[in-house]
Structures are given as structure tokens and as C-alpha cells.
Amino acid sequence: MDNKIVLPEDALKKLSDTLSKVDIVLSPEQMEKLLSYYELLVERNRVMNLTAITEFDEVAVRHYADSLIPLSIDGISEMFSNPEGTILDLGTGAGFPGLPLAIALPDVQVTLADALQKRTNFLEEVKNALSLDNVTIVNGRAEELGRIPEYRESFDIVVSRAVAEYRVLCEYCLPFVKVNGIFAAWKGPAAPEEIKNAEKALDILGGNNPEIKKYILPDTAETRVVVITNKRESTAEKYPRRAGIPSKRPL
Ligand code: SAH
């Protein structure tokens, strides 16, 4: 069996078509990086669990366009593109949404955090292969990293996709956000319900009433949302609670 990952012949065009449907234009160099990332992702996925989606067109839509969606949403694209800004992706897994964002925003410092060492090792490999100087990779749980002074309340933007229900995610993510910074959560159709259940958590952790930004995944009829909350005040020291408690006993 041939072990080499073969990109579709028209991969570059397919990717640029998909991204242009959400008004995202990248340089040829950035597009090449996304293609190399795809090759590494699918190759390593044969020996470790990184992604359920491996077909190129699907990765272009569900991983790349979906990750880059904030760059095409009015009102938040400016915050993401701020070259002075810092972004943390909590529970990044194989790098989503943080790694495509880092490729698209080479002037922004992006930190990718995940509890699983195998995944952070994979991300180190991608960082080196693609020479991503603006990327930092951190292994650990949100509940522990969020207590380390270097990380606490030190990011302008914290992003997270497919990690936990919103009220739990607020306890994982808000401790990392600077006061007046934002927390952006990728969510599905249940977002309004999840937000309702998070009223108390937001109040306790210092998050404002969230705003829902809807979008449609290109080439699908699937509506998704990014839930944006502004951090209005500092998070009390006792949060996040110790590992496992936020999900076991949500605020
Ligand atoms: N964000 C990626 C991965 C989602 S899978 C994507 O959308 O494709 C969820 C990831 O979150 C896993 O890799 C898991 O290790 C990580 N995770 C779950 N709970 C965590 C926690 N408390 N702290 C750090 N990482 C966590």
C-alpha cells in the first residue's frame, strides 16, 4: 500500500473556492501551509485519533473555513486581526480553530492548549514543519493552566470549538481572558439553550451577556454560530475549580 498522502490535483483551487465563499482570501504561501497541514493531519491520523474528517473537500469546509469564520464576520474580524493581539485556543485537539487562525494571522501570537499529550506532540510537529513562529503549544488541562500566572487573564481572545457545553466552557476559558477581552465559542443549533443555562456561570466568572453570530458552513445547509462574550470584570481566584469539577458540577 502506498502510504503517501496524495492531495487532489486541484486542491489549491478547491481550497480557495471554499474560502472565498466565506469572503476569506489568503496568500499563496498561507494556502500552501494549509495544504501541508492537511497532509500531516491525514498521515498522522492513521496512527492516532486526530480527526473523523479526512476527505480534502470536507476538511476544507469543516476544519478550515469553519476555523477561519471569525475573519469574515463584521464586528469581530477587526479584533482577530489586531497584530498586537493574542489568541488562546483551549481544547484545540488537532489544531482547530487555532492553527488555521495562526496561519491566516501571522502577526498574531496564537497559543494552542490541549490536555492530550499525543495531540500537542502532533501540533509541535506541524509548527516545526510549517515554520509557524507565532504559535506556542501548551499541554495541560484548562483547570490547571488557568491558574498559572503566565496564562491567567493574559489573552485578548480565547477561542474554543467542540470541547464542552457552554457553561462548562465558560469556567475553562474565561479565567484566561483579559478584562475587556473576548471569549468566542463555536457552537451548533443548541446555542441559545446553552447560553440560557450559562447565565449564572457568566455572572460568577465575569462575562457579559453573549452575542450570537450566525453563519452557514459553505457547501452545506448547516447553520453554526460563534458565541461572543466580553469579559467585564476579573474572574475570582477560586475559578476554575479543580480538574473535573467544572464538568461534574457546572456552575
Ligand atoms: N477543538 C478541536 C478538538 C475538539 S475535541 C476541534 O474542534 O476539532 C476536544 C478536545 O478538548 C480534546 O482534544 C480534549 O483533549 C480537549 N479537552 C477537553 N477538556 C479539556 C480540558 N479541561 N482542558 C484541556 N483540554 C481539554
Side-chain angles (χ1 to χ4, degrees), residues 49-51 62-63 66-67 89-98 113-117 119 140-145 160-164 168 172 186 243-244 246:
N49 181 12
L50 292 169
T51 175
R62 294 178 186 279
H63 284 329
D66 194 47
S67 292
D89 181 9
L90 197 283
T92 187
F96 305 110
D114 201 278
L116 277 185
Q117 182 95 51
R119 295 193 174 146
R141 290 189 65 114
E143 299 95 314
E144 277 138 22
L145 299 174
S160 191
R161 187 183 84 165
V163 172
V168 175
Y172 289 164
W186 275 237

Side-chain angles (χ1 to χ4, degrees), residues 198-220:
E199 262 174 37
K200 190 173 150 215
L202 285 161
D203 186 45
I204 291 175
L205 299 161
N208 262 337
N209 197 15
E211 208 182 317
I212 292 184
K213 303 277 190 185
K214 278 193 191 179
Y215 61 97
I216 292 173
L217 265 186
D219 302 330
T220 75

Side-chain angles (χ1 to χ4, degrees), residues 32-247:
E32 287 298 339
K33 287 190 174 184
L34 287 175
L35 298 190
S36 305
Y37 178 21
Y38 171 78
E39 291 176 311
L40 283 168
L41 177 70
V42 177
E43 190 187 309
R44 291 295 179 268
N45 197 51
R46 289 170 170 167
V47 292
M48 65 175 97
N49 181 12
L50 292 169
T51 175
I53 300 162
T54 55
E55 209 251 313
F56 183 78
D57 296 18
E58 292 270 296
V59 169
V61 171
R62 294 178 186 279
H63 284 329
Y64 293 169
D66 194 47
S67 292
L68 295 173
I69 207 73
L71 307 186
S72 76
I73 299 177
D74 278 347
I76 56 173
S77 63
E78 301 77 8
M79 290 185 254
F80 274 79
S81 308
N82 176 6
E84 246 112 85
T86 53
I87 298 177
L88 168 70
D89 181 9
L90 197 283
T92 187
F96 305 110
L99 202 43
L101 286 169
I103 291 170
L105 303 166
D107 297 329
V108 176
Q109 295 302 314
V110 178
T111 300
L112 308 173
D114 201 278
L116 277 185
Q117 182 95 51
K118 274 190 183 171
R119 295 193 174 146
T120 51
N121 287 348
F122 164 74
L123 294 170
E124 288 288 356
E125 197 184 336
V126 178
K127 172 190 154 87
N128 293 334
L130 275 57
S131 306
L132 299 172
D133 300 331
N134 61 328
V135 172
T136 304
I137 294 141
V138 181
N139 178 249
R141 290 189 65 114
E143 299 95 314
E144 277 138 22
L145 299 174
R147 294 186 161 276
I148 299 174
E150 185 188 349
Y151 303 122
R152 193 170 180 93
E153 304 204 321
S154 54
F155 295 91
D156 296 293
I157 301 176
V158 176
V159 296
S160 191
R161 187 183 84 165
V163 172
E165 68 166 300
Y166 191 60
R167 59 184 171 167
V168 175
L169 207 53
C170 283
E171 186 167 354
Y172 289 164
C173 293
L174 280 168
F176 293 101
V177 184
K178 285 182 189 169
V179 174
N180 296 322
I182 65 163
F183 162 41
W186 275 237
K187 285 287 173 190
E193 187 68 24
E194 286 190 44
I195 292 170
K196 222 167 138 236
N197 292 335
E199 262 174 37
K200 190 173 150 215
L202 285 161
D203 186 45
I204 291 175
L205 299 161
N208 262 337
N209 197 15
E211 208 182 317
I212 292 184
K213 303 277 190 185
K214 278 193 191 179
Y215 61 97
I216 292 173
L217 265 186
D219 302 330
T220 75
E222 296 170 34
T223 302
R224 298 288 169 82
V225 306
V226 183
V227 180
I228 308 278
T229 183
N230 271 87
K231 184 148 164 182
R232 65 184 149 74
E233 62 180 24
S234 200
T235 301
E237 247 178 58
K238 66 191 248 204
Y239 302 104
R241 291 166 294 167
R242 68 189 163 77
I245 303 295
S247 64

